[in-house]
Amino acid sequence: MSAQVHPLPTPHRQPPAVEPDRGEWGALRAELHGRCADRDLAALWAELAPGERRTLLASAKLDTRDARLPIERMPQFSRNAIRAAIHRMSQYANRLRAELEGHKPHPSRELAGHARQALAEGNTEAALHWLAIIERGVA
């Protein structure tokens, strides 16, 4: 007589409806869906003062009387124009900041000067100290 082995009954488990978030893809997906629904734009618009809103509307070539209108009630064309104006203004601000900061010497230049002076004085320990600060990216 041969014995048959039967597996024990186990409760049937279904895979979870939502897979665990790997690499924060779920957060990225939620952000993209929010951006498509203009939730990011609505949050920014709610934080702006009326004068800032009018400036954005003027840059977007829209009627500045709409400054009190919630972004959700604006047509998609207006939302797109406001988003483009924000992008243009941000690029301009970044270029201006880079130009203004570009005329200053890099902070590591002063540290390199200290390292050169320490070497000239024969103090290699101090020179290595200054070089280590530069290499760590502190300045």
Side-chain angles (χ1 to χ4, degrees):
M1 183 191 262
S2 69
Q4 290 184 341
V5 178
H6 296 286
L8 293 174
T10 57
H12 180 64
R13 291 189 178 184
Q14 289 183 321
V18 177
E19 289 294 322
D21 193 9
R22 292 178 289 160
E24 299 196 17
W25 283 102
L28 177 61
R29 183 175 185 264
E31 181 183 337
L32 290 174
H33 279 284
R35 190 170 287 192
C36 288
D38 289 329
R39 285 193 290 266
D40 61 332
L41 190 60
L44 175 67
W45 188 256
E47 295 173 4
L48 295 175
E52 294 170 324
R53 288 181 178 188
R54 281 191 293 275
T55 301
L56 269 176
L57 289 169
S59 178
K61 295 181 176 45
L62 297 172
D63 188 1
T64 57
R65 292 176 292 173
D66 289 342
R68 291 188 179 168
L69 190 63
I71 201 86
E72 297 86 1
R73 292 188 41 212
M74 292 183 184
Q76 190 62 46
F77 170 81
S78 297
R79 295 180 197 187
N80 293 343
I82 291 170
R83 188 180 294 278
I86 291 170
H87 185 70
R88 277 192 315 273
M89 294 169 87
S90 295
Q91 284 182 327
Y92 172 73
N94 288 338
R95 283 193 317 265
L96 183 60
R97 183 180 302 114
E99 186 175 319
L100 291 174
E101 290 175 353
H103 297 295
K104 293 190 298 189
H106 193 273
S108 63
R109 182 176 281 177
E110 181 181 353
L111 297 175
H114 292 310
R116 283 190 199 99
Q117 182 179 355
L119 280 175
E121 295 170 356
N123 189 347
T124 55
E125 188 177 324
L128 289 173
H129 165 76
W130 293 113
L131 290 175
I133 291 174
I134 294 169
E135 288 174 352
R136 280 194 312 262
V138 174

